[in-house]
Amino acid sequence: MQFHFQNQSGNVIAPARRGISVALVQVGLAAAMLTGSSCAAAAAPSAPLLVTRSIVVSAPADKVWKVVGNFGDMSYFSAAVKSTEIVSGRNNQPGAQRRITLKEGGVVVETLTARKERPYRLSYRMDESPLPVSNYRSTISVIPSGQDSKVTWSGQFNSRAAAEDGDQVAVKAITGLYDAGLASIKEVAER
């Protein structure tokens, strides 16, 4: 996997790391979610932060898109997601809103902002979440690469973590989310 994270000015927030285990990612997400209620206490929004993660999947893009391209179905992320349901609008149409119930008990509400077939791209915003972020917008894309596919998940958001190192807390939470999600997409698509 490749990744980088930086603020909008291009300054790197922390050095890139490889080999983050799914177990550590889950612990990081759980910690971020537990601190979610105190995150709203941040005095002022930070500058927008960016996280981009990619993974190569040994499956054709059409197959990978069937796993990730249905906005109303996050069953591929079964390690973290208990259920997903469309609560407003029509699935896979801009404006559709999904409610994600997490296995840890949290709830995330997201709205689809764009979805394209070829190139495969799904964009959404997070409306409610226990994560320490606000103004979150994200895109997942699937690009063919021979018989394989490259899946890229990128997001822009502000930190709402009250800690002095709030930007790093937010980046760590989103990086952990993307790592775990991409690993799940790869596992399911390569079956």
Side-chain angles (χ1 to χ4, degrees):
M1 278 188 241
Q2 306 166 357
F3 71 95
H4 68 276
F5 39 94
Q6 60 192 31
N7 64 19
Q8 195 170 22
S9 301
N11 299 321
V12 174
I13 301 296
R17 298 180 305 240
R18 291 178 180 255
I20 299 174
S21 73
V22 173
L24 288 176
V25 167
Q26 290 171 339
V27 169
L29 283 173
M33 289 171 25
L34 288 173
T35 62
S37 60
S38 66
C39 292
S46 65
L49 302 167
L50 306 170
V51 173
T52 297
R53 302 288 287 158
S54 296
I55 194 166
V56 174
V57 178
S58 298
D62 291 344
K63 183 176 181 184
V64 176
W65 186 244
K66 286 180 184 175
V67 171
V68 74
N70 182 351
F71 186 69
D73 180 9
M74 290 189 71
S75 60
Y76 64 86
F77 207 171
S78 63
V81 173
K82 181 178 178 182
S83 66
T84 308
E85 66 177 313
I86 297 296
V87 295
S88 177
R90 291 186 54 207
N91 189 30
N92 294 327
Q93 299 295 314
Q97 194 172 60
R98 67 182 174 192
R99 183 177 200 264
I100 305 163
T101 303
L102 304 173
K103 286 191 174 177
E104 298 294 323
V107 172
V108 178
V109 178
E110 298 173 333
T111 301
L112 183 66
T113 57
R115 184 178 181 278
K116 292 183 181 181
E117 305 261 347
R118 301 183 201 260
Y120 296 121
R121 183 170 295 141
L122 184 144
S123 299
Y124 63 95
R125 72 172 186 261
M126 191 179 294
D127 301 318
E128 298 174 30
S129 170
L131 293 170
V133 298
S134 63
N135 303 317
Y136 174 95
R137 296 191 179 283
S138 186
T139 298
I140 299 175
S141 63
V142 180
I143 299 169
S145 179
Q147 293 185 6
D148 297 334
S149 303
K150 181 178 180 182
V151 181
T152 301
W153 197 345
S154 62
Q156 181 173 330
F157 51 90
N158 295 96
S159 171
R160 61 182 178 109
E164 190 174 302
D165 61 346
D167 286 356
Q168 290 182 341
V169 169
V171 166
K172 183 177 180 180
I174 297 302
T175 299
L177 173 71
Y178 290 2
D179 282 345
L182 289 169
S184 294
I185 291 165
K186 180 177 177 70
E187 180 182 341
V188 172
E190 289 182 352
R191 288 184 190 156

